[in-house]
Amino acid sequence: MSKQLNRLIIKGGVLSPGELKYICQSVENLGLKTISFGSRQDILLPKKVNREELTQFDKLIIVEDDEIGVENIVSSYVCADIFPSTSWLTGDRYLYLLEQFRSKTKLKINLTDPKQRLVPLFTGNVNFIASEHEDYWYLYVRLPDWEKTEMYPALIYSWDLDKIETAIENCLQEEPETIETIFELVSDAVDTNNRTVDKPLEVPFYPFPYFEGMNKIGADKYWLGLYWRNNKYDISFLKEMCELCSENKIGKISITPWKSFIVKGIPRESKLIWEKFLGKRGINVRHSMLELNWHIPVANIEALNLKKYLVSNFDQNDISTYGLTFGITDYNKSSNYFTSIVVEKNKQPEMIGTFQTRDTYNLSYAKNFDPNTRAYIMHVQDVDKVELPGLLMELSQLYFDQLGNEREKEKIAETQKVTTKLEVYQCQDCLTIYDEAFGDITQDIPPKTVFKLLLETYECSLCEGSKANFEKIILEK
Protein backbone atom coordinates (compact mmCIF):
# COMPACT_ATOMS: atom_id res chain seq x y z
CA MET A 1 0.00 0.00 0.00
CA SER A 2 1.11 3.60 -0.63
CA LYS A 3 1.87 5.87 2.28
CA GLN A 4 0.35 9.33 2.50
CA LEU A 5 2.91 11.92 1.45
CA ASN A 6 3.06 15.66 0.99
CA ARG A 7 4.37 17.09 -2.25
CA LEU A 8 6.93 19.89 -2.35
CA ILE A 9 6.40 21.78 -5.60
CA ILE A 10 9.65 22.26 -7.56
CA LYS A 11 8.83 24.36 -10.63
CA GLY A 12 10.05 22.56 -13.75
CA GLY A 13 11.96 20.06 -11.61
CA VAL A 14 14.80 22.61 -11.29
CA LEU A 15 16.28 23.89 -8.04
CA SER A 16 19.56 25.32 -6.85
CA PRO A 17 22.01 23.45 -4.59
CA GLY A 18 21.22 26.04 -1.90
CA GLU A 19 17.49 25.31 -2.09
CA LEU A 20 17.97 21.54 -1.97
CA LYS A 21 20.37 21.86 0.97
CA TYR A 22 17.85 24.02 2.83
CA ILE A 23 15.11 21.47 2.20
CA CYS A 24 17.36 18.68 3.48
CA GLN A 25 18.28 20.61 6.62
CA SER A 26 14.64 21.45 7.32
CA VAL A 27 13.41 17.85 7.12
CA GLU A 28 16.52 16.60 8.95
CA ASN A 29 15.57 18.82 11.89
CA LEU A 30 12.35 16.80 12.08
CA GLY A 31 14.32 13.60 12.55
CA LEU A 32 14.02 12.40 8.94
CA LYS A 33 16.94 10.80 7.15
CA THR A 34 15.66 10.55 3.55
CA ILE A 35 13.56 12.31 0.92
CA SER A 36 11.91 10.90 -2.22
CA PHE A 37 11.12 12.22 -5.68
CA GLY A 38 7.75 12.16 -7.46
CA SER A 39 6.79 11.47 -11.06
CA ARG A 40 6.07 15.16 -11.71
CA GLN A 41 9.60 16.23 -10.73
CA ASP A 42 8.51 17.17 -7.23
CA ILE A 43 9.86 16.18 -3.81
CA LEU A 44 7.82 13.92 -1.56
CA LEU A 45 7.85 14.31 2.22
CA PRO A 46 6.10 12.53 5.11
CA LYS A 47 2.82 13.90 6.43
CA LYS A 48 4.36 15.48 9.53
CA VAL A 49 6.12 18.15 7.44
CA ASN A 50 3.97 21.27 7.12
CA ARG A 51 4.12 24.57 5.26
CA GLU A 52 5.49 26.58 8.16
CA GLU A 53 8.63 24.46 8.31
CA LEU A 54 9.82 25.51 4.84
CA THR A 55 9.48 29.28 4.66
CA GLN A 56 12.87 30.64 3.62
CA PHE A 57 12.29 30.24 -0.12
CA ASP A 58 8.99 31.70 -1.31
CA LYS A 59 8.72 29.40 -4.31
CA LEU A 60 8.83 26.21 -2.22
CA ILE A 61 5.20 25.19 -1.79
CA ILE A 62 4.04 22.18 0.23
CA VAL A 63 0.86 20.51 -1.02
CA GLU A 64 -0.83 18.02 1.29
CA ASP A 65 -1.58 14.61 -0.23
CA ASP A 66 -5.36 15.17 -0.24
CA GLU A 67 -5.19 18.78 -1.43
CA ILE A 68 -6.37 19.56 -4.93
CA GLY A 69 -5.87 22.67 -7.01
CA VAL A 70 -2.07 23.01 -6.82
CA GLU A 71 0.02 21.20 -9.43
CA ASN A 72 3.69 21.12 -10.42
CA ILE A 73 5.10 22.18 -13.78
CA VAL A 74 7.02 19.40 -15.55
CA SER A 75 9.81 20.49 -17.89
CA SER A 76 12.48 18.84 -19.99
CA TYR A 77 15.12 21.32 -18.76
CA VAL A 78 16.81 18.25 -17.33
CA CYS A 79 17.53 17.08 -20.90
CA ALA A 80 18.89 20.35 -22.27
CA ASP A 81 22.50 20.09 -23.49
CA ILE A 82 22.81 16.35 -22.74
CA PHE A 83 20.15 14.67 -24.93
CA PRO A 84 18.84 15.38 -28.47
CA SER A 85 17.11 18.75 -28.44
CA THR A 86 15.50 21.48 -30.53
CA SER A 87 18.30 23.90 -31.42
CA TRP A 88 16.77 27.07 -30.00
CA LEU A 89 15.57 25.51 -26.73
CA THR A 90 18.63 25.88 -24.51
CA GLY A 91 18.90 25.39 -20.77
CA ASP A 92 18.92 29.14 -20.20
CA ARG A 93 15.78 29.54 -22.31
CA TYR A 94 13.95 27.03 -20.12
CA LEU A 95 14.88 28.94 -16.97
CA TYR A 96 13.61 32.24 -18.38
CA LEU A 97 10.35 30.62 -19.46
CA LEU A 98 9.75 28.89 -16.13
CA GLU A 99 10.14 32.19 -14.31
CA GLN A 100 7.04 33.62 -15.97
CA PHE A 101 4.75 31.01 -14.44
CA ARG A 102 3.00 31.78 -11.17
CA SER A 103 3.90 29.87 -8.03
CA LYS A 104 0.57 28.04 -7.94
CA THR A 105 -1.25 26.49 -10.88
CA LYS A 106 -4.52 24.55 -10.83
CA LEU A 107 -3.68 22.49 -13.90
CA LYS A 108 -0.78 20.16 -14.64
CA ILE A 109 1.57 21.90 -17.06
CA ASN A 110 4.20 20.21 -19.25
CA LEU A 111 6.90 22.28 -20.98
CA THR A 112 8.81 19.88 -23.20
CA ASP A 113 11.08 19.34 -26.18
CA PRO A 114 9.73 16.71 -28.63
CA LYS A 115 13.25 15.56 -29.51
CA GLN A 116 14.01 14.17 -26.06
CA ARG A 117 12.66 10.95 -24.58
CA LEU A 118 13.22 11.24 -20.84
CA VAL A 119 10.33 13.59 -19.96
CA PRO A 120 6.79 12.70 -21.15
CA LEU A 121 5.12 15.13 -23.53
CA PHE A 122 1.41 14.60 -22.94
CA THR A 123 0.87 13.79 -19.23
CA GLY A 124 -0.29 17.31 -18.32
CA ASN A 125 -3.61 19.09 -18.69
CA VAL A 126 -1.78 21.84 -20.60
CA ASN A 127 1.11 20.52 -22.70
CA PHE A 128 3.42 23.02 -24.39
CA ILE A 129 5.69 21.27 -26.94
CA ALA A 130 8.45 23.14 -28.76
CA SER A 131 8.02 23.70 -32.51
CA GLU A 132 10.71 24.21 -35.13
CA HIS A 133 9.90 27.93 -35.14
CA GLU A 134 12.02 29.71 -32.57
CA ASP A 135 10.03 30.73 -29.48
CA TYR A 136 6.82 29.06 -30.66
CA TRP A 137 5.08 26.08 -29.10
CA TYR A 138 2.39 23.59 -29.97
CA LEU A 139 -0.26 23.34 -27.28
CA TYR A 140 -2.12 20.13 -26.46
CA VAL A 141 -4.95 20.37 -23.93
CA ARG A 142 -6.59 17.64 -21.90
CA LEU A 143 -8.73 19.11 -19.14
CA PRO A 144 -9.38 16.91 -16.07
CA ASP A 145 -12.76 15.66 -17.32
CA TRP A 146 -11.74 15.22 -20.99
CA GLU A 147 -11.19 11.74 -22.37
CA LYS A 148 -8.53 12.67 -24.91
CA THR A 149 -5.93 15.31 -25.70
CA GLU A 150 -6.74 17.97 -28.31
CA MET A 151 -4.38 20.25 -30.26
CA TYR A 152 -4.86 24.00 -29.81
CA PRO A 153 -5.30 25.55 -33.29
CA ALA A 154 -2.38 28.00 -33.04
CA LEU A 155 1.28 28.08 -32.06
CA ILE A 156 1.93 29.89 -28.78
CA TYR A 157 4.64 32.53 -28.35
CA SER A 158 7.17 31.77 -25.61
CA TRP A 159 6.36 34.86 -23.60
CA ASP A 160 2.62 34.15 -23.74
CA LEU A 161 2.80 30.69 -22.14
CA ASP A 162 1.72 31.71 -18.65
CA LYS A 163 -0.85 34.16 -20.02
CA ILE A 164 -2.46 31.39 -22.10
CA GLU A 165 -2.37 28.84 -19.25
CA THR A 166 -3.94 31.33 -16.83
CA ALA A 167 -6.68 32.11 -19.34
CA ILE A 168 -7.40 28.37 -19.71
CA GLU A 169 -7.65 28.03 -15.92
CA ASN A 170 -10.01 31.01 -15.76
CA CYS A 171 -12.34 29.51 -18.33
CA LEU A 172 -12.74 26.22 -16.42
CA GLN A 173 -15.87 27.61 -14.77
CA GLU A 174 -17.46 27.67 -18.22
CA GLU A 175 -16.88 23.87 -18.39
CA PRO A 176 -15.62 23.94 -21.99
CA GLU A 177 -16.03 20.64 -23.82
CA THR A 178 -14.05 21.30 -27.02
CA ILE A 179 -10.73 22.81 -27.97
CA GLU A 180 -12.58 25.25 -30.23
CA THR A 181 -14.43 26.63 -27.20
CA ILE A 182 -11.16 26.92 -25.30
CA PHE A 183 -9.64 28.82 -28.22
CA GLU A 184 -12.56 31.24 -28.40
CA LEU A 185 -12.61 31.92 -24.66
CA VAL A 186 -8.84 32.45 -24.49
CA SER A 187 -8.82 34.68 -27.58
CA ASP A 188 -11.54 36.86 -26.06
CA ALA A 189 -9.72 37.11 -22.74
CA VAL A 190 -6.12 37.94 -23.70
CA ASP A 191 -4.07 39.49 -26.49
CA THR A 192 -1.40 37.11 -27.78
CA ASN A 193 1.26 36.75 -30.45
CA ASN A 194 -0.04 33.46 -31.82
CA ARG A 195 1.31 32.00 -35.02
CA THR A 196 -0.54 29.86 -37.56
CA VAL A 197 0.00 26.12 -37.31
CA ASP A 198 1.63 25.39 -40.66
CA LYS A 199 2.19 21.66 -40.14
CA PRO A 200 1.27 18.96 -37.63
CA LEU A 201 3.56 18.14 -34.73
CA GLU A 202 6.04 15.41 -35.60
CA VAL A 203 7.52 13.54 -32.64
CA PRO A 204 10.60 11.56 -33.73
CA PHE A 205 11.17 8.14 -32.20
CA TYR A 206 14.15 7.80 -29.90
CA PRO A 207 14.93 4.83 -27.64
CA PHE A 208 14.59 5.55 -23.93
CA PRO A 209 17.99 6.93 -22.83
CA TYR A 210 20.35 5.63 -20.19
CA PHE A 211 20.30 8.49 -17.67
CA GLU A 212 22.72 7.40 -14.95
CA GLY A 213 26.43 7.72 -14.21
CA MET A 214 29.14 10.20 -15.21
CA ASN A 215 28.82 11.27 -18.85
CA LYS A 216 30.68 13.77 -21.00
CA ILE A 217 29.28 17.10 -22.29
CA GLY A 218 31.41 18.65 -25.00
CA ALA A 219 35.15 18.86 -24.40
CA ASP A 220 35.45 19.94 -20.77
CA LYS A 221 32.21 19.22 -18.85
CA TYR A 222 30.36 16.20 -17.46
CA TRP A 223 26.88 15.40 -16.25
CA LEU A 224 26.02 12.97 -13.47
CA GLY A 225 22.78 10.99 -13.15
CA LEU A 226 21.94 9.34 -9.83
CA TYR A 227 19.24 6.73 -9.21
CA TRP A 228 18.45 4.83 -6.00
CA ARG A 229 16.28 1.73 -6.24
CA ASN A 230 14.11 2.47 -3.22
CA ASN A 231 13.69 6.19 -4.03
CA LYS A 232 14.91 7.10 -0.53
CA TYR A 233 17.74 9.58 -0.99
CA ASP A 234 19.99 10.00 2.03
CA ILE A 235 19.82 13.56 3.36
CA SER A 236 23.42 13.66 4.62
CA PHE A 237 24.64 12.60 1.15
CA LEU A 238 22.50 15.23 -0.58
CA LYS A 239 23.77 18.00 1.70
CA GLU A 240 27.40 17.13 0.98
CA MET A 241 26.64 16.92 -2.73
CA CYS A 242 25.06 20.39 -2.66
CA GLU A 243 28.22 21.77 -1.05
CA LEU A 244 30.31 20.11 -3.77
CA CYS A 245 28.04 21.69 -6.41
CA SER A 246 28.61 25.12 -4.87
CA GLU A 247 32.39 24.60 -4.87
CA ASN A 248 32.19 23.74 -8.59
CA LYS A 249 29.92 26.74 -9.34
CA ILE A 250 27.09 24.42 -10.45
CA GLY A 251 23.91 26.45 -10.23
CA LYS A 252 21.13 23.93 -10.85
CA ILE A 253 20.10 20.38 -9.95
CA SER A 254 17.37 18.69 -12.05
CA ILE A 255 14.83 16.10 -10.94
CA THR A 256 13.64 13.56 -13.55
CA PRO A 257 10.15 12.00 -13.78
CA TRP A 258 11.84 8.64 -13.14
CA LYS A 259 12.58 9.47 -9.48
CA SER A 260 16.23 10.28 -10.04
CA PHE A 261 18.18 13.49 -10.50
CA ILE A 262 20.87 14.92 -12.77
CA VAL A 263 23.71 17.34 -12.07
CA LYS A 264 25.02 19.12 -15.19
CA GLY A 265 28.20 21.12 -15.71
CA ILE A 266 30.77 19.22 -13.62
CA PRO A 267 34.20 20.60 -14.68
CA ARG A 268 36.64 18.15 -16.20
CA GLU A 269 39.23 18.95 -13.56
CA SER A 270 36.71 18.02 -10.82
CA LYS A 271 35.65 14.67 -12.31
CA LEU A 272 38.02 12.67 -10.09
CA ILE A 273 36.84 14.54 -6.98
CA TRP A 274 33.22 13.61 -7.78
CA GLU A 275 34.13 9.99 -8.46
CA LYS A 276 35.97 9.77 -5.13
CA PHE A 277 33.00 11.39 -3.39
CA LEU A 278 30.64 8.79 -4.84
CA GLY A 279 33.06 5.94 -4.19
CA LYS A 280 33.57 6.77 -0.52
CA ARG A 281 29.79 6.83 -0.10
CA GLY A 282 29.42 3.51 -1.89
CA ILE A 283 27.02 5.03 -4.43
CA ASN A 284 26.19 2.73 -7.35
CA VAL A 285 26.06 4.62 -10.65
CA ARG A 286 25.77 1.68 -13.01
CA HIS A 287 22.36 0.12 -12.58
CA SER A 288 21.27 -1.90 -15.59
CA MET A 289 18.71 -0.55 -18.02
CA LEU A 290 16.44 -3.32 -16.72
CA GLU A 291 15.98 -1.24 -13.54
CA LEU A 292 16.09 2.33 -14.85
CA ASN A 293 13.18 2.01 -17.28
CA TRP A 294 10.42 1.39 -14.70
CA HIS A 295 7.82 3.82 -13.41
CA ILE A 296 6.09 2.64 -10.22
CA PRO A 297 3.94 4.33 -7.56
CA VAL A 298 5.90 6.04 -4.79
CA ALA A 299 6.13 4.30 -1.39
CA ASN A 300 4.19 1.32 -2.70
CA ILE A 301 5.96 -1.76 -1.35
CA GLU A 302 3.77 -4.14 -3.31
CA ALA A 303 4.61 -2.45 -6.64
CA LEU A 304 8.31 -2.30 -5.75
CA ASN A 305 8.35 -6.02 -4.96
CA LEU A 306 6.57 -6.81 -8.24
CA LYS A 307 9.17 -4.78 -10.13
CA LYS A 308 12.00 -6.66 -8.38
CA TYR A 309 10.37 -9.98 -9.25
CA LEU A 310 9.99 -9.06 -12.94
CA VAL A 311 13.46 -7.49 -13.28
CA SER A 312 14.99 -10.59 -11.67
CA ASN A 313 13.29 -12.78 -14.28
CA PHE A 314 14.53 -10.54 -17.11
CA ASP A 315 18.06 -10.69 -15.70
CA GLN A 316 18.03 -14.48 -15.31
CA ASN A 317 16.91 -14.87 -18.92
CA ASP A 318 19.33 -12.26 -20.33
CA ILE A 319 16.45 -10.28 -21.81
CA SER A 320 17.18 -6.90 -23.41
CA THR A 321 14.64 -4.14 -22.82
CA TYR A 322 16.67 -1.31 -24.35
CA GLY A 323 14.37 1.43 -25.61
CA LEU A 324 11.33 0.13 -23.70
CA THR A 325 9.77 1.54 -20.54
CA PHE A 326 7.46 -0.23 -18.08
CA GLY A 327 4.83 1.05 -15.66
CA ILE A 328 2.93 -0.56 -12.78
CA THR A 329 -0.45 0.85 -11.84
CA ASP A 330 -3.64 -0.05 -9.96
CA TYR A 331 -7.06 -0.47 -11.49
CA ASN A 332 -8.29 2.81 -10.00
CA LYS A 333 -5.45 5.03 -11.20
CA SER A 334 -5.46 7.43 -14.15
CA SER A 335 -4.95 5.84 -17.56
CA ASN A 336 -2.75 8.74 -18.69
CA TYR A 337 0.35 6.54 -18.91
CA PHE A 338 3.79 7.47 -20.21
CA THR A 339 5.48 4.09 -20.54
CA SER A 340 5.72 1.64 -23.44
CA ILE A 341 4.20 -1.27 -21.49
CA VAL A 342 1.74 -1.05 -18.60
CA VAL A 343 1.16 -3.71 -15.93
CA GLU A 344 -2.23 -2.99 -14.34
CA LYS A 345 -3.30 -4.73 -11.15
CA ASN A 346 -7.00 -5.61 -11.16
CA LYS A 347 -9.42 -4.89 -8.35
CA GLN A 348 -10.05 -7.81 -6.05
CA PRO A 349 -13.62 -9.11 -6.35
CA GLU A 350 -15.82 -8.73 -3.31
CA MET A 351 -15.95 -12.10 -1.60
CA ILE A 352 -18.18 -13.55 1.09
CA GLY A 353 -16.62 -15.30 4.06
CA THR A 354 -12.93 -16.24 4.25
CA PHE A 355 -12.53 -17.34 0.63
CA GLN A 356 -9.36 -15.82 -0.87
CA THR A 357 -8.45 -15.06 -4.48
CA ARG A 358 -5.11 -14.38 -6.15
CA ASP A 359 -4.18 -11.03 -7.64
CA THR A 360 -4.59 -10.78 -11.40
CA TYR A 361 -3.12 -8.34 -13.90
CA ASN A 362 -3.72 -6.82 -17.32
CA LEU A 363 -0.94 -6.05 -19.80
CA SER A 364 -1.22 -3.31 -22.41
CA TYR A 365 1.32 -1.64 -24.68
CA ALA A 366 1.51 1.64 -26.56
CA LYS A 367 1.00 1.67 -30.31
CA ASN A 368 4.42 1.03 -31.89
CA PHE A 369 5.62 0.84 -28.26
CA ASP A 370 5.78 4.64 -28.32
CA PRO A 371 3.90 6.25 -25.38
CA ASN A 372 3.77 9.54 -27.30
CA THR A 373 1.11 7.98 -29.55
CA ARG A 374 -1.22 8.03 -26.49
CA ALA A 375 -2.93 4.92 -27.90
CA TYR A 376 -2.72 1.71 -25.86
CA ILE A 377 -3.48 -1.82 -27.00
CA MET A 378 -4.66 -4.48 -24.56
CA HIS A 379 -2.39 -7.53 -24.81
CA VAL A 380 -3.81 -9.88 -22.12
CA GLN A 381 -6.26 -9.62 -19.23
CA ASP A 382 -6.69 -11.33 -15.87
CA VAL A 383 -3.38 -13.20 -15.79
CA ASP A 384 -1.57 -14.43 -12.67
CA LYS A 385 1.69 -12.94 -11.42
CA VAL A 386 3.68 -16.03 -12.45
CA GLU A 387 2.58 -15.50 -16.07
CA LEU A 388 3.82 -11.90 -16.24
CA PRO A 389 7.56 -12.51 -16.89
CA GLY A 390 6.92 -14.70 -19.93
CA LEU A 391 4.31 -12.33 -21.33
CA LEU A 392 6.59 -9.29 -20.86
CA MET A 393 9.41 -11.14 -22.60
CA GLU A 394 6.97 -11.89 -25.40
CA LEU A 395 6.13 -8.16 -25.70
CA SER A 396 9.83 -7.28 -25.60
CA GLN A 397 10.42 -9.60 -28.56
CA LEU A 398 7.44 -8.10 -30.37
CA TYR A 399 8.95 -4.65 -29.84
CA PHE A 400 12.23 -5.60 -31.49
CA ASP A 401 10.39 -7.39 -34.31
CA GLN A 402 8.33 -4.26 -35.02
CA LEU A 403 11.22 -1.87 -34.55
CA GLY A 404 12.82 -2.77 -37.88
CA ASN A 405 9.47 -2.65 -39.66
CA GLU A 406 8.74 0.82 -38.33
CA ARG A 407 12.11 2.08 -39.49
CA GLU A 408 11.50 0.67 -42.97
CA LYS A 409 8.15 2.44 -43.03
CA GLU A 410 9.86 5.67 -41.99
CA LYS A 411 12.38 5.30 -44.82
CA ILE A 412 9.58 4.77 -47.33
CA ALA A 413 7.70 7.74 -45.90
CA GLU A 414 10.81 9.91 -46.17
CA THR A 415 11.22 8.90 -49.82
CA GLN A 416 7.60 9.79 -50.50
CA LYS A 417 7.99 13.13 -48.76
CA VAL A 418 10.82 14.11 -51.09
CA THR A 419 8.67 13.52 -54.12
CA THR A 420 5.56 15.27 -52.74
CA LYS A 421 5.16 18.93 -53.63
CA LEU A 422 3.01 21.27 -51.59
CA GLU A 423 1.76 24.64 -52.79
CA VAL A 424 1.61 27.26 -50.01
CA TYR A 425 1.79 31.05 -49.60
CA GLN A 426 4.61 32.67 -47.63
CA CYS A 427 4.95 36.11 -46.07
CA GLN A 428 8.08 37.72 -47.53
CA ASP A 429 8.89 39.62 -44.33
CA CYS A 430 8.69 37.02 -41.54
CA LEU A 431 8.40 33.82 -43.69
CA THR A 432 5.13 32.73 -42.04
CA ILE A 433 3.32 30.18 -44.21
CA TYR A 434 -0.37 30.16 -45.12
CA ASP A 435 -1.38 26.60 -45.96
CA GLU A 436 -4.87 26.32 -47.44
CA ALA A 437 -5.27 22.90 -45.80
CA PHE A 438 -4.97 24.49 -42.33
CA GLY A 439 -6.45 27.93 -42.94
CA ASP A 440 -5.74 30.50 -40.22
CA ILE A 441 -7.93 29.94 -37.21
CA THR A 442 -6.25 32.83 -35.38
CA GLN A 443 -8.29 35.02 -37.77
CA ASP A 444 -11.35 32.75 -37.96
CA ILE A 445 -10.38 31.39 -41.38
CA PRO A 446 -11.40 27.72 -41.50
CA PRO A 447 -9.30 24.93 -43.04
CA LYS A 448 -9.48 24.42 -46.82
CA THR A 449 -9.95 28.14 -47.48
CA VAL A 450 -8.36 29.05 -50.84
CA PHE A 451 -5.83 31.88 -50.49
CA LYS A 452 -7.27 33.81 -53.46
CA LEU A 453 -10.66 33.94 -51.69
CA LEU A 454 -9.24 35.68 -48.62
CA LEU A 455 -10.33 39.28 -48.17
CA GLU A 456 -7.81 41.91 -49.25
CA THR A 457 -7.74 43.05 -45.61
CA TYR A 458 -6.17 39.73 -44.57
CA GLU A 459 -2.93 40.23 -42.61
CA CYS A 460 -0.05 37.95 -41.66
CA SER A 461 -0.82 36.40 -38.26
CA LEU A 462 2.73 37.11 -37.07
CA CYS A 463 3.99 40.41 -38.52
CA GLU A 464 0.65 41.85 -39.74
CA GLY A 465 1.97 42.17 -43.29
CA SER A 466 -0.69 42.61 -45.98
CA LYS A 467 -2.11 39.86 -48.19
CA ALA A 468 -0.11 41.27 -51.08
CA ASN A 469 3.02 40.50 -49.10
CA PHE A 470 2.45 36.75 -49.56
CA GLU A 471 3.95 34.88 -52.49
CA LYS A 472 3.18 31.39 -53.74
CA ILE A 473 5.98 28.90 -53.18
CA ILE A 474 6.38 25.14 -53.65
CA LEU A 475 7.53 23.09 -50.69
CA GLU A 476 8.92 19.60 -51.07
CA LYS A 477 7.54 17.37 -48.33
Side-chain angles (χ1 to χ4, degrees):
M1 296 295 291
S2 297
K3 298 178 182 178
Q4 290 186 325
L5 297 168
N6 289 333
R7 292 180 292 125
L8 183 58
I9 299 298
I10 307 295
K11 192 192 303 183
V14 188
L15 73 171
S16 70
E19 289 167 335
L20 180 56
K21 184 178 179 181
Y22 172 72
I23 292 168
C24 290
Q25 290 172 333
S26 298
V27 297
E28 188 177 43
N29 291 338
L30 298 169
L32 303 176
K33 295 183 178 180
T34 64
I35 61 173
S36 300
F37 298 127
S39 60
R40 288 196 63 80
Q41 297 173 299
D42 39 16
I43 291 177
L44 306 179
L45 303 171
K47 285 282 289 182
K48 61 181 177 180
V49 178
N50 58 50
R51 290 173 171 84
E52 288 70 32
E53 286 152 355
L54 286 164
T55 56
Q56 179 173 325
F57 293 99
D58 293 337
K59 67 179 182 179
L60 298 182
I61 302 170
I62 289 184
V63 182
E64 295 183 4
D65 69 304
D66 56 353
E67 184 177 354
I68 59 174
V70 182
E71 298 291 351
N72 197 28
I73 301 173
V74 163
S75 84
S76 53
Y77 167 85
V78 64
C79 302
D81 309 318
I82 63 175
F83 293 130
S85 61
T86 299
S87 59
W88 61 266
L89 189 52
T90 62
D92 289 341
R93 188 74 61 96
Y94 276 108
L95 297 179
Y96 286 127
L97 294 175
L98 287 170
E99 280 303 311
Q100 69 178 282
F101 287 95
R102 296 161 292 117
S103 57
K104 291 186 179 182
T105 57
K106 298 177 185 176
L107 298 174
K108 296 176 181 177
I109 304 169
N110 285 25
L111 188 71
T112 54
D113 188 328
K115 293 188 177 181
Q116 56 77 39
R117 195 71 171 181
L118 188 62
V119 179
L121 306 184
F122 299 104
T123 55
N125 303 121
V126 178
N127 304 283
F128 296 107
I129 303 172
S131 78
E132 294 178 357
H133 302 292
E134 183 170 351
D135 273 327
Y136 278 90
W137 302 73
Y138 291 94
L139 170 56
Y140 283 78
V141 178
R142 182 183 183 180
L143 297 185
D145 57 346
W146 286 14
E147 292 185 0
K148 61 180 182 177
T149 305
E150 300 285 354
M151 189 185 80
Y152 194 80
L155 296 180
I156 310 300
Y157 185 48
S158 281
W159 310 110
D160 289 339
L161 297 181
D162 178 59
K163 186 191 298 185
I164 294 286
E165 193 280 330
T166 300
I168 293 175
E169 283 193 15
N170 292 339
C171 72
L172 290 178
Q173 57 189 354
E174 304 286 339
E175 298 183 352
E177 297 182 353
T178 66
I179 195 65
E180 290 76 19
T181 303
I182 290 282
F183 178 77
E184 292 174 5
L185 291 171
V186 171
S187 298
D188 290 343
V190 293
D191 293 327
T192 59
N193 293 297
N194 291 347
R195 180 170 181 156
T196 303
V197 177
D198 52 10
K199 68 175 184 177
L201 171 67
E202 294 180 1
V203 181
F205 178 82
Y206 292 103
F208 185 70
Y210 189 89
F211 57 86
E212 193 184 29
M214 190 76 73
N215 304 272
K216 202 167 187 179
I217 310 175
D220 59 353
K221 298 282 186 181
Y222 288 84
W223 65 270
L224 172 67
L226 289 177
Y227 166 83
W228 291 14
R229 287 186 180 96
N230 59 6
N231 192 21
K232 292 182 179 180
Y233 290 83
D234 184 77
I235 286 175
S236 63
F237 165 78
L238 291 176
K239 288 197 303 179
E240 286 188 46
M241 187 201 69
C242 289
E243 292 171 1
L244 191 53
C245 284
S246 298
E247 292 172 11
N248 284 258
K249 296 181 172 56
I250 295 170
K252 299 297 179 184
I253 296 170
S254 310
I255 303 170
T256 82
W258 299 87
K259 305 177 181 68
S260 66
F261 68 92
I262 286 175
V263 179
K264 295 185 282 189
I266 297 172
R268 180 176 57 185
E269 59 270 20
S270 299
K271 180 174 180 284
L272 182 59
I273 296 173
W274 279 82
E275 289 174 341
K276 285 184 176 181
F277 170 67
L278 297 172
K280 286 181 179 179
R281 283 282 191 161
I283 305 300
N284 178 17
V285 292
R286 284 297 172 211
H287 293 91
S288 74
M289 177 59 82
L290 293 176
E291 294 186 76
L292 296 179
N293 55 1
W294 285 81
H295 182 265
I296 63 175
V298 174
N300 189 313
I301 301 300
E302 189 177 320
L304 182 60
N305 287 336
L306 178 59
K307 174 196 167 182
K308 289 179 180 177
Y309 167 73
L310 296 172
V311 168
S312 175
N313 274 273
F314 284 174
D315 190 42
Q316 291 171 12
N317 289 278
D318 284 334
I319 298 298
S320 171
T321 61
Y322 177 70
L324 286 172
T325 52
F326 300 83
I328 296 176
T329 186
D330 291 330
Y331 72 95
N332 59 346
K333 299 299 181 183
S334 168
S335 60
N336 197 14
Y337 311 124
F338 64 91
T339 58
S340 310
I341 297 174
V342 178
V343 181
E344 179 187 42
K345 180 184 175 183
N346 287 316
K347 181 180 180 181
Q348 284 274 10
E350 295 183 7
M351 305 301 297
I352 299 175
T354 59
F355 187 79
Q356 294 183 343
T357 60
R358 291 179 298 185
D359 291 331
T360 62
Y361 302 85
N362 303 330
L363 278 183
S364 57
Y365 63 97
K367 181 181 178 182
N368 300 331
F369 293 92
D370 182 357
N372 286 325
T373 63
R374 291 161 286 149
Y376 281 82
I377 301 165
M378 183 63 68
H379 186 58
V380 292
Q381 291 180 287
D382 300 318
V383 298
D384 289 339
K385 176 180 175 180
V386 294
E387 299 177 78
L388 289 177
L391 290 166
L392 288 173
M393 293 176 200
E394 178 183 295
L395 281 177
S396 178
Q397 186 60 54
L398 180 61
Y399 162 69
F400 287 110
D401 288 344
Q402 290 190 2
L403 189 59
N405 295 337
E406 288 303 315
R407 286 177 176 172
E408 287 301 318
K409 290 178 183 177
E410 288 174 5
K411 289 179 182 178
I412 294 172
E414 287 298 319
T415 302
Q416 291 175 339
K417 284 181 182 178
V418 171
T419 58
T420 300
K421 293 184 178 181
L422 180 66
E423 184 179 286
V424 297
Y425 295 81
Q426 186 174 52
C427 175
Q428 297 306 294
D429 286 339
C430 68
L431 305 183
T432 292
I433 288 175
Y434 178 86
D435 185 342
E436 294 176 344
F438 289 98
D440 185 353
I441 202 162
T442 65
Q443 300 182 62
D444 297 322
I445 297 171
K448 299 182 180 179
T449 300
V450 177
F451 182 81
K452 291 181 180 179
L453 297 182
L454 296 178
L455 297 176
E456 293 305 314
T457 55
Y458 175 75
E459 296 179 342
C460 174
S461 61
L462 184 62
C463 72
E464 298 183 350
S466 68
K467 179 182 177 182
N469 206 36
F470 283 77
E471 289 187 7
K472 182 173 22 176
I473 62 171
I474 304 297
L475 296 178
E476 289 190 345
K477 299 279 287 180

